[in-house]
Amino acid sequence: MNTTQDRFERQASLVPRDRIRDTSVTVIGVGAIGRQVALQLASIGVTKLQLIDFDTVELTNVTTQGYRADEIGQAKVTATTLEVERIDPSIEIDYIIDRFRSMHRVGDVVFCCVDSIATRATVWRCLQRRIQLLIDTRMNGETIRLLTADPSKSRHRYESTLFAQGDAHAGTCTAKSTIYAASIAAGLSVHQLTRWLRDMPLDRDFTFNLLASELNVTGEFTPSFQENRFA
């Protein structure tokens, strides 16, 4: 291997190295989407990464979340941490085996990859004045919804998506899921981070129905479209 080669050279114009180096990132929930987000963040050069999740790896997670069979029974955050370290051992990584709690200190940017609308509301209520950017990814089968909230610009718009848990579709985001949909959702989420790092406009509300090949996007300064509600 050529140790003098910069591994980031091919993405240099897409991911500002100076900014990503100085940005700390937290991923809340390392299930189907969150695990893929964490691995992509490690690959593109995040240097300070935090993972929060209380759950352990189960057999079905091998199919839908990208975990390995030999990781069954491990805490998801520890299994993901080991994979991140295999990508880049220099990453400063912190993990918390617990549900998100208000006392937790988090990074500048938070990826909310949980499977409950009530948890999302708690995360937002606790963190909206403490972070620079929230990227919330939701998935129901082959439908992906991505919400990006800058607390200083789009606070009220995001709050309008935090409907009552009873209004959500039955089941959780893991009730019907596939690794390919989760990987696409993760890529779309990480892309929003790289746009933010480049001071580009963000897609405030983005819905992609893979099965129907339908895409709806609401930009930061354009009218919203009809809500698609799923937890």
Side-chain angles (χ1 to χ4, degrees), residues 152-164:
S152 67
K153 296 180 181 178
S154 53
R155 173 180 168 188
H156 298 297
R157 176 70 184 89
Y158 178 72
E159 288 175 353
S160 72
T161 74
L162 298 174
F163 47 86

Side-chain angles (χ1 to χ4, degrees), residues 55-156:
D55 209 358
T56 57
V57 179
E58 299 178 358
L59 177 61
T60 57
N61 301 152
V62 176
T63 302
T64 60
Q65 299 185 9
Y67 285 97
R68 300 192 312 272
D70 64 354
E71 293 173 323
I72 293 173
Q74 294 184 33
K76 289 182 178 179
V77 290
T78 55
T80 303
T81 293
L82 291 173
E83 288 300 305
V84 166
E85 290 175 341
R86 289 187 179 99
I87 294 171
D88 188 343
S90 71
I91 293 175
E92 181 183 327
I93 186 164
D94 169 52
Y95 65 82
I96 299 174
I97 306 176
D98 195 1
R99 297 180 186 275
F100 169 78
R101 302 182 189 279
S102 59
M103 64 183 180
H104 292 151
R105 299 184 65 179
V106 299
D108 306 313
V109 175
V110 170
F111 285 82
C112 187
C113 305
V114 300
D115 61 3
S116 162
I117 196 68
T119 303
R120 289 187 181 91
T122 299
V123 168
W124 179 247
R125 184 175 64 252
C126 295
L127 299 184
Q128 60 180 288
R129 302 186 188 283
R130 295 161 49 188
I131 62 176
Q132 297 181 43
L133 183 69
L134 177 77
I135 302 172
D136 174 357
T137 310
R138 310 176 187 184
M139 185 173 66
N140 184 14
E142 293 182 312
T143 301
I144 298 163
R145 186 178 186 188
L146 171 64
L147 296 133
T148 307
D150 177 338
S152 67
K153 296 180 181 178
S154 53
R155 173 180 168 188
H156 298 297

